[in-house]
Amino acid sequence: MTGRFALTHSPREVRDWFGYVEEPDFPPRTNIAPSQPVAVVHADFSARHFTLMRWGFIPAFIKDTAGYPLLINIRSETVQEKPSFRNAFARRRCLIPADGFYQWQKQGRTKRPYLLRRPGGGLMALAAIWETWSGHDGSEIDTVGLLTTDASGPLAALGDRSPVLIEADAMAFWLDPLTKPGEAAALLRPPAADRLELAPDAPDLRHGL
């Protein structure tokens, strides 16, 4: 499971790489956690947009969120089939900008976090889907969940699941509302082994676990 990630690039660097029209300002964050607001890039038929969304997907048909599990990771193998995710995958695919993400490895009674990043520390685009949940009082919450797949490369030693990474040359295809779900699903592959490295200077997050 991917339960934490980082985004420390400047707002300008993130905007230049993802190409959205807004000009948001946000601080660097090394320990982004579930239920927090996260940067999300999505698209309509004319442009890409930046929106803050709650990390923890809630299907639109849920009437009461009390007791509903926090869906931060969604299995890509079944995202097209399950009613909770099918419509969002067809119409509301998105990307979460990140510098890297954390995986934990058990070491005795504790878990040690490892930061996985691009070689050289560049930006990455995590595949996700989003949904707007509406409450009985008329309130609305934009929510998002990461798509995961089988782990490979350096990730396989830390766990059996990995976020899906969308490469820069596939971002437009992934975000395009006209891309058919079956075609978008072809991008749901494990990251290539040479696309990730273990960061030697990862911050120690164990105090927050």
Side-chain angles (χ1 to χ4, degrees):
M1 183 179 74
T2 299
R4 305 288 175 94
F5 67 95
L7 179 60
T8 62
H9 279 71
S10 71
R12 182 179 182 87
E13 289 172 319
V14 178
R15 182 174 185 262
D16 287 348
W17 205 71
F18 283 91
Y20 43 78
V21 298
E22 293 79 12
E23 298 184 22
D25 189 21
F26 46 84
R29 300 166 67 190
T30 60
N31 188 13
I32 300 171
S35 78
Q36 293 180 352
V38 299
V40 174
V41 179
H42 55 101
D44 55 25
F45 292 102
S46 60
R48 296 181 191 177
H49 299 282
F50 174 103
T51 302
L52 288 176
M53 299 187 186
R54 174 186 179 268
W55 185 15
F57 186 91
I58 304 175
F61 60 78
I62 296 297
K63 302 300 183 184
D64 185 359
T65 60
Y68 191 77
L70 193 63
L71 299 178
I72 61 172
N73 293 171
I74 298 168
R75 295 180 67 90
S76 62
E77 295 88 345
T78 55
V79 69
Q80 293 187 84
E81 305 164 7
K82 291 192 174 182
S84 295
F85 314 124
R86 187 169 53 219
N87 288 339
F89 184 75
R91 300 182 179 91
R92 289 176 292 280
R93 294 181 301 273
C94 60
L95 299 168
I96 295 180
D99 302 334
F101 57 91
Y102 297 95
Q103 298 286 83
W104 281 265
Q105 186 178 61
K106 287 185 178 180
Q107 296 184 349
R109 296 183 178 181
T110 64
K111 292 182 179 180
R112 178 182 175 182
Y114 289 87
L115 176 66
L116 289 107
R117 67 182 186 185
R118 294 291 199 193
L123 281 161
M124 62 176 65
L126 307 180
I129 57 174
W130 67 278
E131 185 70 87
T132 299
W133 179 81
S134 300
H136 293 297
D137 59 357
S139 61
E140 293 186 341
I141 306 173
D142 292 328
T143 69
V144 65
L146 287 174
L147 298 180
T148 66
T149 186
D150 289 332
S152 64
L155 259 178
L158 302 176
D160 59 358
R161 302 298 292 174
S162 164
V164 175
L165 307 185
I166 304 296
E167 299 298 335
D169 60 1
M171 290 195 302
F173 184 76
W174 172 260
L175 292 173
D176 189 344
L178 295 179
T179 299
K180 296 179 180 178
E183 296 172 337
L187 299 176
L188 301 177
R189 303 184 298 265
D194 63 351
R195 301 300 290 157
L196 291 172
E197 68 175 11
L198 289 172
D201 53 351
D204 191 337
L205 307 183
R206 280 173 286 186
H207 66 279
L209 298 180

